Amino acid sequence: MTKDVEVAEHHGGEYGAKDYHDPPPAPFFDAEELTKWSFYRALIAEFVATLLFLYVTVLTVIGYKSQTDPTIPDVDQCGGVGILGIAWAFGGMIFILVYCTAGISGGHINPAVTFGLFVARKVSLIRALGYMIAQCLGAICGVGLVKAFQSSYYNRYGGGANTLADGYNKGTGLGAEIIGTFVLVYTVFSATDPKRSARDSHVPVLAPLPIGFAVFMVHLATIPITGTGINPARSFGAAVIFNNDKAWDDQWIFWVGPFIGAFAAALYHQFVLRAAAIKALGSFRSNT
């Protein structure tokens, strides 16, 4: 079985990825990155992308709630974008922003995605931490702009903060975040797999599309449960600006769940689908 995997990797088999070799893993701790402009350019790209992501999506959430507020006379309960429109806003913005930033920072826009890629040794520890900080700061600024422009509606309609919905326990909310993030990060790995890129030249161009659709589908499933986090920066930025006890009490769900889901997706893709463990065992046997 190990031999079959090696043949498929080096000769492409029926897929035609002839002489393909996986890129080497990123250094665990690469201090040299701190001296490169490309690193800081990537941080700026992650900051701005996350800012724009939160600005558009949180405005959409608040706008929908204001358009369907039952306490307002003559309100159209079927008006607004609806849950479907909210899901499209999140998925569509991820599609747009990943497309725009993929060539600069990789288009993470999510600490859970960054963590999953770090686990798979696609980015170094320094880059992973830098991205997460930039993403959280961008999220705070994005929601801050929403509050500045929609101050009359912001607090009234919950500030777009993620909280566990009434009727669900914390275990259910945690499970929804784990599975939702698994779907997203698994899609990221599959859409950006370098072997597929070498085999199919159109894959890098299409990568933002399935990632955006993954976000869209997960939102449809989990908005009624947690409002859908699957992005710790999104939940953190909204909680910081809204600063509500309920949002802070549930905040751990939107960090622990996505990080567990991202970790599981990274292991599944690298060690099961890509057979990293089998290849490592084969390499060990060939050297002994």
Side-chain angles (χ1 to χ4, degrees), residues 20-30 33 117-125 194 270-271 276:
Y20 170 79
H21 296 276
D22 277 323
F28 178 80
F29 188 87
D30 188 6
E33 285 193 302
L117 293 172
F118 168 70
V119 170
R121 298 292 301 278
K122 304 295 185 182
V123 296
S124 69
L125 177 62
Q270 293 298 103
F271 291 97

Side-chain angles (χ1 to χ4, degrees), residues 47-227:
F47 171 83
V48 172
T50 313
L51 183 155
L52 295 174
F53 176 60
L54 268 292
Y55 174 72
V56 171
T57 54
V58 171
L59 265 181
T60 302
V61 171
I62 293 175
Y64 164 68
K65 290 183 177 181
S66 68
Q67 292 167 331
T68 57
D69 186 348
T71 65
I72 299 176
D74 301 323
V75 69
D76 181 7
Q77 288 297 321
C78 295
V81 297
I83 290 180
L84 184 64
I86 293 173
W88 271 121
F90 279 89
M93 280 303 292
I94 287 297
F95 167 67
I96 292 168
L97 294 170
V98 171
Y99 178 83
C100 291
T101 60
I104 301 172
S105 66
H108 296 193
I109 322 170
N110 184 336
V113 171
T114 299
F115 177 70
L117 293 172
F118 168 70
V119 170
R121 298 292 301 278
K122 304 295 185 182
V123 296
S124 69
L125 177 62
I126 287 180
R127 185 170 289 265
L129 292 176
Y131 277 20
M132 291 181 191
I133 293 171
Q135 291 155 358
C136 288
L137 291 176
I140 293 170
C141 293
V143 182
L145 288 176
V146 174
K147 185 174 182 179
F149 294 156
Q150 289 282 5
S151 57
S152 60
Y153 292 130
Y154 182 82
N155 289 316
R156 181 175 181 176
Y157 296 112
N162 286 127
T163 57
L164 186 64
D166 295 337
Y168 294 96
N169 60 46
K170 293 186 184 297
T172 300
L174 183 64
E177 289 296 309
I178 290 173
I179 296 172
T181 309
F182 181 93
V183 172
L184 170 59
V185 178
Y186 174 34
T187 304
V188 169
F189 273 101
S190 299
T192 61
D193 190 329
K195 184 179 179 182
R196 293 186 65 194
S197 299
R199 184 177 71 219
D200 305 315
S201 60
H202 64 279
V203 168
V205 178
L206 294 178
L209 186 59
I211 295 171
F213 261 105
V215 172
F216 168 70
M217 297 304 295
V218 171
H219 273 76
L220 288 181
T222 58
I223 282 177
I225 303 173
T226 61

